[in-house]
């Protein structure tokens, strides 16, 4: 099966045509996307709590770029045990074992080759499988691990198309096992603090959010074995790497915790830099993806989202991260800051002159507010996270929270519906682009359970 071609592809095309020619819903321009009924006997995973674990016994699959860092971070986490390590190349598994022994921990069993990952999942002494392989393998490995009774942590994006998204959802619901996508950007410090401010009502009703992955990868393409990431962009159109922007944006809007995404529309530039880069490397210049993709999303509660993707062109790194609310505004890139409608009324605002709703509050005021509204998780972990590292510390906070929730039987900060919702933009934006930017329905992966929770109380609760 080709990437971004799901089993629903033919139905989507048919629905698009009938919508244009007096189909079942002639009043709607939105391209419908089939949402399968929940199989009999399954129940949703919104707010799901698994039985607490005494020890998180983990097996790692994929020890190339991201995996070794995760192994190292787990050596700093109490009540964890690394039982198994797997990579296609045996030398990588051996190298990761050195991380454990240097930390004074027992060596793990190692697996390699095409079927090694299945042997790891088959073990009965593992309760968490941590997947850091190339994207195309994520869903298959996550589904297999859950079917073997394991909780799963899987790198971004968790799925390549709608079919895989639904497989993750249905397998998690059927097996009652967590499936967390390892979206680290929701744990960055500015995002955590701003989320806490939003939870405290400082921005009022949040109307619009923005997120992106803008990162010139030209110096790094050859770090991906066989140039697989560049090859993926050459063969697939759409926002193929949306989750770093989507995660923080969805949390601000309580997606599937009292709100949901209804539909999206995508636009894209022509492809210039991508084909030239492929030609330089001696490849085929038939490059499918645009240099720059923009997506607009409408939510059930009347808010909007704007997501961008550009890994080709010479721009400063940016995830955009911006929110507009009725009482305030936050922005991270290129300059981080806050603006409030009535800054003098904000609890914790220092007594300063010339505060204005037309500009960012002064840096000293920003620092004071960020200290006052520092997220409790950040307050507890920031110093350790900075020492351990991983994208400035947010990777460590992500792993800590995963382990903490499993040990204490809490809902995970990111559930299987987050994994599906944040990953589905790949295929949905491709459909929109193929239909002259017509709006495309975003499936309700919760099948109505998004209404069970009401807002922020589910996000990163320490308990």
């Amino acid at each position: 099966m080709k990437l971004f071609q799901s089993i629903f592809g033919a139905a989507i095309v048919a629905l698009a045509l009938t919508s244009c020619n007096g189909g079942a819903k002639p009043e709607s321009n939105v391209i419908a996307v089939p949402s399968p009924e929940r199989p009999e006997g399954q129940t949703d995973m919104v707010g799901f709590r698994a039985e607490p674990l005494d020890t998180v016994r983990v097996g790692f699959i994929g020890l190339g770029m991201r995996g070794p860092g995760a192994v190292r971070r787990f050596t700093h986490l109490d009540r964890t045990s690394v039982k198994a390590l797997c990579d296609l190349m045996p030398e990588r598994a051996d190298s990761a074992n050195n991380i454990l022994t240097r930390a004074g921990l027992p060596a793990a069993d190692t697996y390699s080759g095409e079927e090694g990952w299945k042997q790891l999942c088959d073990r009965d002494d593992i309760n968490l499988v941590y997947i850091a392989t190339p994207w195309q393998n994520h869903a298959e490995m996550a589904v297999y691990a859950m079917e073997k009774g394991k909780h799963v942590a899987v790198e971004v994006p968790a799925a390549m198309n709608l079919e895989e998204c639904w497989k993750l959802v249905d397998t998690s619901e059927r097996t009652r096992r967590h499936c967390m996508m390892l979206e680290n950007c929701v744990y960055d410090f500015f995002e955590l603090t701003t989320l806490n401010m939003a939870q405290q009502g400082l921005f009022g009703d949040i109307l619009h959010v923005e997120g992106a992955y803008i990162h010139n990868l030209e110096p790094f393409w050859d770090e991906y074995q066989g140039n697989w990431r560049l090859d993926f962009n050459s063969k697939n159109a759409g926002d193929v790497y949306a989750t770093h922007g989507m995660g923080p944006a969805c949390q601000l809007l309580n997606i599937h915790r009292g709100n949901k995404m209804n539909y999206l529309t995508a636009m894209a530039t022509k492809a210039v830099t991508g084909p030239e880069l492929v030609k330089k490397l001696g490849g085929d210049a038939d490059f499918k993806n645009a240099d720059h993709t923009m997506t607009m999303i409408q939510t059930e509660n009347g808010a909007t989202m704007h997501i961008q993707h550009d890994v080709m062109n010479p721009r400063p790194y940016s995830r955009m991260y911006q929110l507009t609310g009725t009482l305030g505004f936050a922005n991270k890139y290129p300059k981080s800051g806050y603006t409030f409608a009535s800054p003098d009324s904000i609890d914790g605002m220092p007594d300063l002159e010339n505060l204005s709703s037309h500009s960012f509050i002064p840096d000293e005021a920003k620092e004071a507010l960020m200290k006052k509204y520092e997220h409790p998780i950040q307050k507890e972990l920031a110093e350790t996270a900075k020492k351990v590292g991983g994208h400035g510390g947010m990777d460590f906070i992500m792993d800590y929270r995963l382990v903490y929730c499993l040990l204490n039987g809490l809902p995970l900060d990111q559930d299987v519906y987050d994994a599906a919702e944040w990953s589905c933009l790949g295929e949905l934006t491709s459909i929109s682009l193929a239909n002259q930017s017509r709006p495309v329905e975003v499936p309700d992966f919760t099948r109505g359970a998004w209404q069970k929770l009401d807002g922020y109380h589910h996000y990163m609760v320490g308990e």
Side-chain angles (χ1 to χ4, degrees):
M1 181 181 63
K2 293 182 180 178
L3 298 174
F4 290 140
Q5 287 187 342
S6 77
I7 58 173
F8 307 129
I12 291 168
V13 172
L15 285 163
L17 293 173
T18 55
S19 179
C20 289
N21 297 287
K25 290 186 177 181
E27 75 285 355
S28 174
N29 189 43
V30 177
I31 298 174
V33 174
S35 296
E37 294 291 326
R38 177 174 281 120
E40 187 175 354
Q42 287 184 195
T43 56
D44 70 83
M45 297 287 284
V46 174
F48 174 72
R49 296 166 179 256
E51 285 295 316
L53 300 177
D54 291 328
T55 303
V56 174
R57 302 186 303 274
V58 61
F60 289 90
I61 304 174
L63 297 164
M65 294 183 69
R66 298 281 288 140
V71 174
R72 186 178 67 82
R73 293 191 300 274
F74 264 70
T75 67
H76 295 270
L77 294 172
D78 294 335
R79 296 173 63 188
T80 66
S81 176
V82 179
K83 293 292 186 180
L85 300 166
C86 176
D87 192 90
L88 191 62
M89 303 178 182
E91 61 269 23
R92 287 181 174 175
D94 293 338
S95 178
N97 237 341
N98 292 334
I99 297 172
L100 299 177
T101 56
R102 285 196 299 268
L105 298 173
D109 293 335
T110 60
Y111 299 87
S112 59
E114 296 289 346
E115 298 293 313
W117 64 273
K118 289 184 177 179
Q119 297 169 21
L120 181 148
C121 293
D122 290 343
R123 293 173 63 113
D124 59 9
D125 62 344
I126 289 173
N127 46 40
L128 173 67
V129 173
Y130 198 112
I131 300 167
T133 60
W135 307 340
Q136 296 93 323
N137 304 321
H138 288 177
E140 178 188 8
M141 291 178 173
V143 165
Y144 187 88
M146 284 187 282
E147 289 176 339
K148 293 297 180 176
K150 315 300 191 289
H151 298 299
V152 169
V154 56
E155 267 294 350
V156 302
M160 296 288 94
N161 51 49
L162 292 174
E163 180 186 9
E164 290 186 350
C165 287
W166 283 112
K167 280 184 178 179
L168 290 177
V169 167
D170 282 338
T171 306
S172 180
E173 290 182 351
R174 174 168 47 83
T175 63
R176 314 311 287 169
R177 289 296 180 266
H178 286 298
C179 180
M180 172 178 164
M181 186 168 66
L182 294 162
E183 180 43 71
N184 56 353
C185 293
V186 302
Y187 299 99
D188 211 351
F189 300 130
F190 187 86
E191 285 85 340
L192 279 173
T193 296
T194 304
L195 178 63
N196 192 39
M197 288 181 179
Q199 291 170 339
Q200 306 305 318
L202 268 67
F203 304 110
D205 189 356
I206 297 177
L207 304 173
H208 178 72
V209 295
E210 301 193 4
Y213 187 68
I214 296 172
H215 187 189
N216 180 16
L217 291 179
E218 184 170 1
F220 311 108
W221 289 121
D222 60 358
E223 294 181 16
Y224 298 92
Q225 181 185 339
N227 276 319
W228 67 261
R229 188 163 177 175
L230 179 61
D231 183 64
F232 189 91
N233 274 268
S234 74
K235 293 177 180 175
N236 297 280
D239 189 338
V240 300
Y241 198 67
T243 72
H244 288 333
M246 285 289 288
C250 286
Q251 288 191 339
L252 289 168
L253 295 181
N254 299 317
I255 297 302
H256 83 252
R257 282 94 168 172
N259 193 8
K260 71 181 182 74
M261 295 182 284
N262 284 345
Y263 61 88
L264 62 77
T265 185
M267 299 185 78
T269 69
K270 60 185 177 180
V272 178
T273 305
E276 288 299 321
L277 180 56
V278 171
K279 279 198 289 187
K280 271 189 210 175
L281 297 172
D284 185 353
D286 181 20
F287 200 91
K288 297 287 193 303
N289 213 2
D291 276 12
H292 190 96
T293 302
M294 297 156 287
T295 305
M296 294 296 299
I297 305 169
Q298 179 74 58
T299 77
E300 177 74 14
N301 290 354
T304 55
M305 303 169 64
H306 178 198
I307 307 295
Q308 294 191 26
H309 176 264
D310 188 338
V311 295
M312 299 295 171
N313 298 301
R315 291 181 58 180
Y317 178 89
S318 173
R319 299 197 302 273
M320 288 169 60
Y321 190 73
Q322 184 181 106
L323 74 85
T324 299
T326 54
L327 299 179
F329 171 85
N331 187 80
K332 184 173 182 181
Y333 298 94
K335 173 180 170 56
S336 65
Y338 301 103
T339 300
F340 298 100
S342 301
D344 291 323
S345 68
I346 300 294
D347 185 25
M349 184 76 72
D351 186 15
L352 298 171
E353 295 182 1
N354 300 320
L355 291 173
S356 168
S357 63
H358 298 284
S359 58
F360 285 132
I361 59 175
D363 286 345
E364 58 187 296
K366 181 184 79 171
E367 291 170 9
L369 279 186
M370 292 190 73
K371 183 172 180 58
K372 177 176 176 58
Y373 291 97
E374 186 177 25
H375 197 285
I377 292 171
Q378 180 181 345
K379 195 174 293 186
E380 175 187 355
L381 297 174
E383 291 308 311
T384 301
K386 289 174 183 176
K387 290 176 184 174
V388 176
H391 290 92
M394 60 186 180
D395 293 357
F396 176 77
I397 297 177
M398 173 182 70
D399 290 338
Y400 180 98
R401 281 294 297 172
L402 167 62
V403 168
Y404 180 89
C405 291
L406 290 175
L407 291 173
N408 290 279
L410 296 174
L412 300 191
D413 298 336
Q414 303 171 51
D415 62 21
V416 69
Y417 306 114
D418 292 313
E421 289 158 353
W422 305 351
S423 298
C424 75
L425 258 69
E427 184 167 6
L428 297 184
T429 55
S430 180
I431 295 168
S432 180
L433 291 171
N435 287 275
Q436 296 182 307
S437 298
R438 282 183 56 200
V440 179
E441 178 186 16
V442 179
D444 174 15
F445 291 102
T446 74
R447 297 172 169 118
W450 63 272
Q451 300 171 84
K452 286 174 56 175
L453 298 177
D454 183 17
Y456 292 123
H457 71 276
H458 184 67
Y459 286 122
M460 300 187 226
V461 179
E463 295 194 24

